[in-house]
Amino acid sequence: MEKNWFIVFHVVETGNNLNQISETTIREQIPKILVYDIRDKEPETSSDIASNNTTHEPEAEKEPTKVLAVRYLSPQEYMEQHRYSKADKNWAELMYRTIKEQENVSSEIK
């Protein structure tokens, strides 16, 4: 997730109160932006096949059978999952656009 969205979401969730923002509240928010699922490991592909058209059989004890897939929520997914009201969504999007515009103006000045 882009850092500006992270900042915006944190501001919205603390009620725009800078006194409520701390390292602890930031650390608590980090797991909220991630989702994960556990999937079965995909079968070996043709690139895993040896030159004599045999495949290597994994040793049962050493080869994992599951894969952990972790990804960031998109901004829209985040707002839906955390049940943002329409007003909070609008406020977050406005703050994000304002930050992006400010960054663009700052980069043009340099």
Side-chain angles (χ1 to χ4, degrees), residues 8 23 47-49 53 58 63-64 76 78 97 101 107 110:
V8 165
E23 183 177 346
S47 64
D48 298 329
I49 298 175
N53 285 337
E63 287 291 319
Q76 293 303 320
Y78 184 90
R97 283 194 310 270
E101 288 173 8
S107 66
K110 292 179 182 180

Side-chain angles (χ1 to χ4, degrees), residues 17-58:
N17 185 346
L18 294 178
N19 293 323
Q20 290 185 1
I21 297 174
S22 67
E23 183 177 346
T24 301
T25 61
I26 291 169
R27 287 180 186 270
E28 289 171 351
Q29 186 178 5
I30 292 171
K32 294 179 181 179
I33 64 174
L34 298 171
V35 290
Y36 69 91
D37 66 29
I38 299 172
R39 302 179 191 154
D40 289 328
K41 186 175 178 182
E42 292 184 17
E44 293 179 349
T45 63
S46 61
S47 64
D48 298 329
I49 298 175
S51 60
N52 63 359
N53 285 337
T54 61
T55 58
H56 169 71
E57 292 298 320

